[in-house]
PDB file of all heavy atoms in Angstrom:
ATOM      1  N   PHE I 207      -7.211  28.376  -8.919  1.00 95.00           N
ATOM      2  CA  PHE I 207      -7.014  27.521  -7.672  1.00 95.00           C
ATOM      3  C   PHE I 207      -5.754  26.694  -7.924  1.00 95.00           C
ATOM      4  O   PHE I 207      -5.549  26.068  -8.913  1.00 95.00           O
ATOM      5  CB  PHE I 207      -8.224  26.540  -7.524  1.00 95.00           C
ATOM      6  CG  PHE I 207      -9.526  27.334  -7.512  1.00 95.00           C
ATOM      7  CD1 PHE I 207     -10.287  27.545  -8.551  1.00 95.00           C
ATOM      8  CD2 PHE I 207     -10.082  27.674  -6.208  1.00 95.00           C
ATOM      9  CE1 PHE I 207     -11.516  28.184  -8.535  1.00 95.00           C
ATOM     10  CE2 PHE I 207     -11.216  28.305  -6.079  1.00 95.00           C
ATOM     11  CZ  PHE I 207     -11.992  28.625  -7.271  1.00 95.00           C
ATOM     12  N   TRP I 208      -5.017  26.548  -6.844  1.00 92.00           N
ATOM     13  CA  TRP I 208      -3.804  25.709  -6.893  1.00 92.00           C
ATOM     14  C   TRP I 208      -3.581  25.121  -5.486  1.00 92.00           C
ATOM     15  O   TRP I 208      -3.875  25.678  -4.497  1.00 92.00           O
ATOM     16  CB  TRP I 208      -2.656  26.440  -7.414  1.00 92.00           C
ATOM     17  CG  TRP I 208      -2.062  27.442  -6.560  1.00 92.00           C
ATOM     18  CD1 TRP I 208      -1.024  27.278  -5.621  1.00 92.00           C
ATOM     19  CD2 TRP I 208      -2.529  28.804  -6.313  1.00 92.00           C
ATOM     20  NE1 TRP I 208      -0.726  28.487  -4.941  1.00 92.00           N
ATOM     21  CE2 TRP I 208      -1.725  29.452  -5.353  1.00 92.00           C
ATOM     22  CE3 TRP I 208      -3.488  29.594  -6.904  1.00 92.00           C
ATOM     23  CZ2 TRP I 208      -1.819  30.712  -4.975  1.00 92.00           C
ATOM     24  CZ3 TRP I 208      -3.679  30.893  -6.450  1.00 92.00           C
ATOM     25  CH2 TRP I 208      -2.876  31.458  -5.588  1.00 92.00           C
ATOM     26  N   THR I 209      -2.947  23.939  -5.427  1.00 86.00           N
ATOM     27  CA  THR I 209      -2.551  23.350  -4.220  1.00 86.00           C
ATOM     28  C   THR I 209      -1.157  23.786  -3.957  1.00 86.00           C
ATOM     29  O   THR I 209      -0.318  23.804  -4.893  1.00 86.00           O
ATOM     30  CB  THR I 209      -2.637  21.785  -4.197  1.00 86.00           C
ATOM     31  OG1 THR I 209      -1.907  21.334  -5.350  1.00 86.00           O
ATOM     32  CG2 THR I 209      -4.072  21.367  -4.370  1.00 86.00           C
ATOM     33  N   GLU I 210      -0.853  24.105  -2.797  1.00 72.00           N
ATOM     34  CA  GLU I 210       0.571  24.554  -2.494  1.00 72.00           C
ATOM     35  C   GLU I 210       1.536  23.511  -2.455  1.00 72.00           C
ATOM     36  O   GLU I 210       2.801  23.758  -2.509  1.00 72.00           O
ATOM     37  CB  GLU I 210       0.448  25.337  -1.121  1.00 72.00           C
ATOM     38  CG  GLU I 210       1.683  26.094  -0.720  1.00 72.00           C
ATOM     39  CD  GLU I 210       2.023  27.159  -1.782  1.00 72.00           C
ATOM     40  OE1 GLU I 210       1.183  27.779  -2.392  1.00 72.00           O
ATOM     41  OE2 GLU I 210       3.241  27.407  -1.892  1.00 72.00           O
ATOM     42  N   ASP I 211       1.136  22.279  -2.298  1.00 64.00           N
ATOM     43  CA  ASP I 211       2.082  21.149  -2.106  1.00 64.00           C
ATOM     44  C   ASP I 211       1.441  19.897  -2.720  1.00 64.00           C
ATOM     45  O   ASP I 211       0.267  19.890  -2.941  1.00 64.00           O
ATOM     46  CB  ASP I 211       2.338  20.866  -0.645  1.00 64.00           C
ATOM     47  CG  ASP I 211       3.542  20.002  -0.433  1.00 64.00           C
ATOM     48  OD1 ASP I 211       4.207  19.612  -1.343  1.00 64.00           O
ATOM     49  OD2 ASP I 211       3.868  19.748   0.778  1.00 64.00           O
ATOM     50  N   ASP I 212       2.210  18.910  -2.983  1.00 63.00           N
ATOM     51  CA  ASP I 212       1.633  17.603  -3.440  1.00 63.00           C
ATOM     52  C   ASP I 212       0.847  16.950  -2.311  1.00 63.00           C
ATOM     53  O   ASP I 212       1.407  16.901  -1.238  1.00 63.00           O
ATOM     54  CB  ASP I 212       2.710  16.709  -3.918  1.00 63.00           C
ATOM     55  CG  ASP I 212       3.306  17.061  -5.223  1.00 63.00           C
ATOM     56  OD1 ASP I 212       2.641  17.837  -6.024  1.00 63.00           O
ATOM     57  OD2 ASP I 212       4.403  16.702  -5.571  1.00 63.00           O
ATOM     58  N   PHE I 213      -0.324  16.574  -2.560  1.00 62.00           N
ATOM     59  CA  PHE I 213      -1.152  15.871  -1.579  1.00 62.00           C
ATOM     60  C   PHE I 213      -1.300  14.464  -1.959  1.00 62.00           C
ATOM     61  O   PHE I 213      -1.958  14.092  -2.966  1.00 62.00           O
ATOM     62  CB  PHE I 213      -2.545  16.566  -1.389  1.00 62.00           C
ATOM     63  CG  PHE I 213      -2.388  17.939  -0.766  1.00 62.00           C
ATOM     64  CD1 PHE I 213      -2.295  19.018  -1.550  1.00 62.00           C
ATOM     65  CD2 PHE I 213      -2.274  18.016   0.621  1.00 62.00           C
ATOM     66  CE1 PHE I 213      -2.237  20.313  -0.960  1.00 62.00           C
ATOM     67  CE2 PHE I 213      -2.251  19.365   1.190  1.00 62.00           C
ATOM     68  CZ  PHE I 213      -2.178  20.403   0.413  1.00 62.00           C
ATOM     69  N   ALA I 214      -0.658  13.551  -1.185  1.00 66.00           N
ATOM     70  CA  ALA I 214      -0.773  12.136  -1.506  1.00 66.00           C
ATOM     71  C   ALA I 214      -2.177  11.582  -1.057  1.00 66.00           C
ATOM     72  O   ALA I 214      -2.590  11.841   0.001  1.00 66.00           O
ATOM     73  CB  ALA I 214       0.347  11.399  -0.724  1.00 66.00           C
ATOM     74  N   GLN I 215      -2.833  10.904  -1.958  1.00 70.00           N
ATOM     75  CA  GLN I 215      -4.159  10.490  -1.726  1.00 70.00           C
ATOM     76  C   GLN I 215      -4.127   8.870  -1.784  1.00 70.00           C
ATOM     77  O   GLN I 215      -3.466   8.357  -2.706  1.00 70.00           O
ATOM     78  CB  GLN I 215      -5.137  10.916  -2.758  1.00 70.00           C
ATOM     79  CG  GLN I 215      -5.282  12.485  -2.783  1.00 70.00           C
ATOM     80  CD  GLN I 215      -5.762  13.010  -1.385  1.00 70.00           C
ATOM     81  OE1 GLN I 215      -6.540  12.376  -0.728  1.00 70.00           O
ATOM     82  NE2 GLN I 215      -5.190  14.118  -1.033  1.00 70.00           N
ATOM     83  N   HIS I 216      -4.759   8.185  -0.932  1.00 70.00           N
ATOM     84  CA  HIS I 216      -4.831   6.800  -0.906  1.00 70.00           C
ATOM     85  C   HIS I 216      -5.836   6.216  -1.869  1.00 70.00           C
ATOM     86  O   HIS I 216      -7.003   6.563  -1.652  1.00 70.00           O
ATOM     87  CB  HIS I 216      -4.997   6.232   0.455  1.00 70.00           C
ATOM     88  CG  HIS I 216      -5.079   4.675   0.490  1.00 70.00           C
ATOM     89  ND1 HIS I 216      -3.909   3.991   0.456  1.00 70.00           N
ATOM     90  CD2 HIS I 216      -6.029   3.905   0.621  1.00 70.00           C
ATOM     91  CE1 HIS I 216      -4.222   2.680   0.573  1.00 70.00           C
ATOM     92  NE2 HIS I 216      -5.508   2.613   0.569  1.00 70.00           N
ATOM     93  N   PHE I 217      -5.476   5.563  -2.880  1.00 75.00           N
ATOM     94  CA  PHE I 217      -6.395   4.939  -3.881  1.00 75.00           C
ATOM     95  C   PHE I 217      -6.725   3.592  -3.383  1.00 75.00           C
ATOM     96  O   PHE I 217      -5.820   2.743  -3.150  1.00 75.00           O
ATOM     97  CB  PHE I 217      -5.836   4.948  -5.267  1.00 75.00           C
ATOM     98  CG  PHE I 217      -6.033   6.200  -5.975  1.00 75.00           C
ATOM     99  CD1 PHE I 217      -5.422   7.432  -5.482  1.00 75.00           C
ATOM    100  CD2 PHE I 217      -6.668   6.306  -7.123  1.00 75.00           C
ATOM    101  CE1 PHE I 217      -5.628   8.645  -6.164  1.00 75.00           C
ATOM    102  CE2 PHE I 217      -6.864   7.498  -7.771  1.00 75.00           C
ATOM    103  CZ  PHE I 217      -6.221   8.660  -7.312  1.00 75.00           C
ATOM    104  N   ALA I 218      -7.972   3.242  -3.243  1.00 73.00           N
ATOM    105  CA  ALA I 218      -8.269   1.886  -2.776  1.00 73.00           C
ATOM    106  C   ALA I 218      -8.587   0.994  -3.998  1.00 73.00           C
ATOM    107  O   ALA I 218      -9.207   1.334  -4.938  1.00 73.00           O
ATOM    108  CB  ALA I 218      -9.710   1.960  -2.049  1.00 73.00           C
ATOM    109  N   ALA I 219      -7.901  -0.143  -3.963  1.00 71.00           N
ATOM    110  CA  ALA I 219      -7.926  -1.047  -5.083  1.00 71.00           C
ATOM    111  C   ALA I 219      -9.210  -1.957  -5.140  1.00 71.00           C
ATOM    112  O   ALA I 219      -9.760  -2.187  -4.015  1.00 71.00           O
ATOM    113  CB  ALA I 219      -6.649  -1.931  -5.070  1.00 71.00           C
ATOM    114  N   THR I 220      -9.443  -2.401  -6.233  1.00 70.00           N
ATOM    115  CA  THR I 220     -10.557  -3.489  -6.241  1.00 70.00           C
ATOM    116  C   THR I 220     -10.135  -4.730  -5.566  1.00 70.00           C
ATOM    117  O   THR I 220      -8.940  -4.946  -5.393  1.00 70.00           O
ATOM    118  CB  THR I 220     -11.012  -3.814  -7.700  1.00 70.00           C
ATOM    119  OG1 THR I 220      -9.793  -4.173  -8.361  1.00 70.00           O
ATOM    120  CG2 THR I 220     -11.532  -2.562  -8.464  1.00 70.00           C
ATOM    121  N   PRO I 221     -11.030  -5.442  -4.975  1.00 73.00           N
ATOM    122  CA  PRO I 221     -10.614  -6.661  -4.147  1.00 73.00           C
ATOM    123  C   PRO I 221      -9.598  -7.587  -4.946  1.00 73.00           C
ATOM    124  O   PRO I 221      -9.780  -7.859  -6.115  1.00 73.00           O
ATOM    125  CB  PRO I 221     -11.916  -7.430  -3.919  1.00 73.00           C
ATOM    126  CG  PRO I 221     -12.937  -6.249  -4.016  1.00 73.00           C
ATOM    127  CD  PRO I 221     -12.481  -5.296  -5.012  1.00 73.00           C
ATOM    128  N   GLY I 222      -8.601  -8.018  -4.187  1.00 70.00           N
ATOM    129  CA  GLY I 222      -7.505  -8.948  -4.847  1.00 70.00           C
ATOM    130  C   GLY I 222      -6.383  -8.189  -5.395  1.00 70.00           C
ATOM    131  O   GLY I 222      -5.457  -8.800  -5.774  1.00 70.00           O
ATOM    132  N   LEU I 223      -6.469  -6.843  -5.516  1.00 68.00           N
ATOM    133  CA  LEU I 223      -5.428  -6.031  -6.052  1.00 68.00           C
ATOM    134  C   LEU I 223      -4.728  -5.178  -4.985  1.00 68.00           C
ATOM    135  O   LEU I 223      -5.301  -4.914  -3.960  1.00 68.00           O
ATOM    136  CB  LEU I 223      -5.829  -5.262  -7.203  1.00 68.00           C
ATOM    137  CG  LEU I 223      -6.414  -5.946  -8.402  1.00 68.00           C
ATOM    138  CD1 LEU I 223      -6.993  -5.060  -9.420  1.00 68.00           C
ATOM    139  CD2 LEU I 223      -5.302  -6.840  -9.071  1.00 68.00           C
ATOM    140  N   VAL I 224      -3.531  -4.702  -5.212  1.00 70.00           N
ATOM    141  CA  VAL I 224      -2.816  -3.843  -4.204  1.00 70.00           C
ATOM    142  C   VAL I 224      -3.143  -2.398  -4.434  1.00 70.00           C
ATOM    143  O   VAL I 224      -3.076  -1.911  -5.611  1.00 70.00           O
ATOM    144  CB  VAL I 224      -1.282  -4.048  -4.297  1.00 70.00           C
ATOM    145  CG1 VAL I 224      -0.553  -3.192  -3.335  1.00 70.00           C
ATOM    146  CG2 VAL I 224      -0.985  -5.557  -4.022  1.00 70.00           C
ATOM    147  N   SER I 225      -3.552  -1.635  -3.386  1.00 72.00           N
ATOM    148  CA  SER I 225      -3.774  -0.209  -3.603  1.00 72.00           C
ATOM    149  C   SER I 225      -2.454   0.569  -3.557  1.00 72.00           C
ATOM    150  O   SER I 225      -1.467   0.002  -3.236  1.00 72.00           O
ATOM    151  CB  SER I 225      -4.747   0.275  -2.561  1.00 72.00           C
ATOM    152  OG  SER I 225      -4.184   0.169  -1.241  1.00 72.00           O
ATOM    153  N   GLU I 226      -2.533   1.844  -3.825  1.00 75.00           N
ATOM    154  CA  GLU I 226      -1.300   2.687  -3.813  1.00 75.00           C
ATOM    155  C   GLU I 226      -1.675   4.088  -3.392  1.00 75.00           C
ATOM    156  O   GLU I 226      -2.796   4.409  -3.212  1.00 75.00           O
ATOM    157  CB  GLU I 226      -0.768   2.648  -5.240  1.00 75.00           C
ATOM    158  CG  GLU I 226      -1.575   3.268  -6.301  1.00 75.00           C
ATOM    159  CD  GLU I 226      -0.950   3.208  -7.613  1.00 75.00           C
ATOM    160  OE1 GLU I 226       0.294   3.322  -7.779  1.00 75.00           O
ATOM    161  OE2 GLU I 226      -1.669   2.931  -8.652  1.00 75.00           O
ATOM    162  N   VAL I 227      -0.677   4.865  -3.183  1.00 76.00           N
ATOM    163  CA  VAL I 227      -0.796   6.257  -2.919  1.00 76.00           C
ATOM    164  C   VAL I 227      -0.309   7.042  -4.085  1.00 76.00           C
ATOM    165  O   VAL I 227       0.779   6.827  -4.669  1.00 76.00           O
ATOM    166  CB  VAL I 227       0.070   6.590  -1.620  1.00 76.00           C
ATOM    167  CG1 VAL I 227       0.072   8.167  -1.421  1.00 76.00           C
ATOM    168  CG2 VAL I 227      -0.393   5.840  -0.445  1.00 76.00           C
ATOM    169  N   ILE I 228      -1.176   8.018  -4.492  1.00 75.00           N
ATOM    170  CA  ILE I 228      -0.867   8.831  -5.703  1.00 75.00           C
ATOM    171  C   ILE I 228      -0.860  10.287  -5.342  1.00 75.00           C
ATOM    172  O   ILE I 228      -1.797  10.731  -4.668  1.00 75.00           O
ATOM    173  CB  ILE I 228      -1.978   8.595  -6.840  1.00 75.00           C
ATOM    174  CG1 ILE I 228      -1.872   7.102  -7.232  1.00 75.00           C
ATOM    175  CG2 ILE I 228      -1.734   9.499  -7.980  1.00 75.00           C
ATOM    176  CD1 ILE I 228      -2.976   6.779  -8.239  1.00 75.00           C
ATOM    177  N   ASN I 229       0.126  11.045  -5.744  1.00 76.00           N
ATOM    178  CA  ASN I 229       0.210  12.457  -5.573  1.00 76.00           C
ATOM    179  C   ASN I 229      -0.697  13.118  -6.617  1.00 76.00           C
ATOM    180  O   ASN I 229      -0.565  12.968  -7.793  1.00 76.00           O
ATOM    181  CB  ASN I 229       1.559  13.030  -5.748  1.00 76.00           C
ATOM    182  CG  ASN I 229       2.462  12.713  -4.555  1.00 76.00           C
ATOM    183  OD1 ASN I 229       1.952  12.420  -3.405  1.00 76.00           O
ATOM    184  ND2 ASN I 229       3.765  12.614  -4.792  1.00 76.00           N
ATOM    185  N   VAL I 230      -1.675  13.923  -6.087  1.00 77.00           N
ATOM    186  CA  VAL I 230      -2.589  14.649  -6.971  1.00 77.00           C
ATOM    187  C   VAL I 230      -2.441  16.097  -6.739  1.00 77.00           C
ATOM    188  O   VAL I 230      -2.534  16.555  -5.625  1.00 77.00           O
ATOM    189  CB  VAL I 230      -4.083  14.239  -6.586  1.00 77.00           C
ATOM    190  CG1 VAL I 230      -5.128  14.902  -7.478  1.00 77.00           C
ATOM    191  CG2 VAL I 230      -4.207  12.667  -6.815  1.00 77.00           C
ATOM    192  N   ARG I 231      -2.250  16.886  -7.807  1.00 80.00           N
ATOM    193  CA  ARG I 231      -1.943  18.303  -7.680  1.00 80.00           C
ATOM    194  C   ARG I 231      -2.699  19.016  -8.706  1.00 80.00           C
ATOM    195  O   ARG I 231      -2.152  19.492  -9.764  1.00 80.00           O
ATOM    196  CB  ARG I 231      -0.449  18.455  -7.845  1.00 80.00           C
ATOM    197  CG  ARG I 231       0.088  19.795  -7.437  1.00 80.00           C
ATOM    198  CD  ARG I 231       1.567  19.769  -7.382  1.00 80.00           C
ATOM    199  NE  ARG I 231       1.931  21.010  -8.044  1.00 80.00           N
ATOM    200  CZ  ARG I 231       3.302  21.287  -8.222  1.00 80.00           C
ATOM    201  NH1 ARG I 231       4.168  20.501  -7.881  1.00 80.00           N
ATOM    202  NH2 ARG I 231       3.637  22.374  -8.824  1.00 80.00           N
ATOM    203  N   PRO I 232      -3.992  19.312  -8.463  1.00 84.00           N
ATOM    204  CA  PRO I 232      -4.793  20.049  -9.497  1.00 84.00           C
ATOM    205  C   PRO I 232      -4.449  21.462  -9.567  1.00 84.00           C
ATOM    206  O   PRO I 232      -4.059  22.115  -8.630  1.00 84.00           O
ATOM    207  CB  PRO I 232      -6.216  19.830  -9.013  1.00 84.00           C
ATOM    208  CG  PRO I 232      -6.056  19.605  -7.523  1.00 84.00           C
ATOM    209  CD  PRO I 232      -4.798  18.983  -7.295  1.00 84.00           C
ATOM    210  N   ARG I 233      -4.646  22.011 -10.718  1.00 89.00           N
ATOM    211  CA  ARG I 233      -4.686  23.469 -11.027  1.00 89.00           C
ATOM    212  C   ARG I 233      -5.973  23.701 -11.821  1.00 89.00           C
ATOM    213  O   ARG I 233      -6.255  23.083 -12.795  1.00 89.00           O
ATOM    214  CB  ARG I 233      -3.524  23.876 -11.957  1.00 89.00           C
ATOM    215  CG  ARG I 233      -2.101  23.557 -11.457  1.00 89.00           C
ATOM    216  CD  ARG I 233      -1.786  24.475 -10.216  1.00 89.00           C
ATOM    217  NE  ARG I 233      -0.496  24.408  -9.765  1.00 89.00           N
ATOM    218  CZ  ARG I 233      -0.043  23.658  -8.724  1.00 89.00           C
ATOM    219  NH1 ARG I 233      -0.939  22.965  -8.018  1.00 89.00           N
ATOM    220  NH2 ARG I 233       1.103  23.644  -8.308  1.00 89.00           N
TER     221      ARG I 233
END
């Protein structure tokens, strides 16, 4: 199984911290 492209996923931070977007590309 492979993803054809990088898929940016929004990671929710714990309260008081800033969340971010991370590219996740599993094989």
Side-chain angles (χ1 to χ4, degrees):
F207 302 89
W208 70 97
T209 55
E210 189 60 29
D211 195 1
D212 287 338
F213 290 94
Q215 302 299 326
H216 180 77
F217 278 59
T220 55
L223 299 173
V224 177
S225 63
E226 64 184 323
V227 174
I228 299 176
N229 287 335
V230 179
R231 199 170 129 180
R233 301 290 189 259

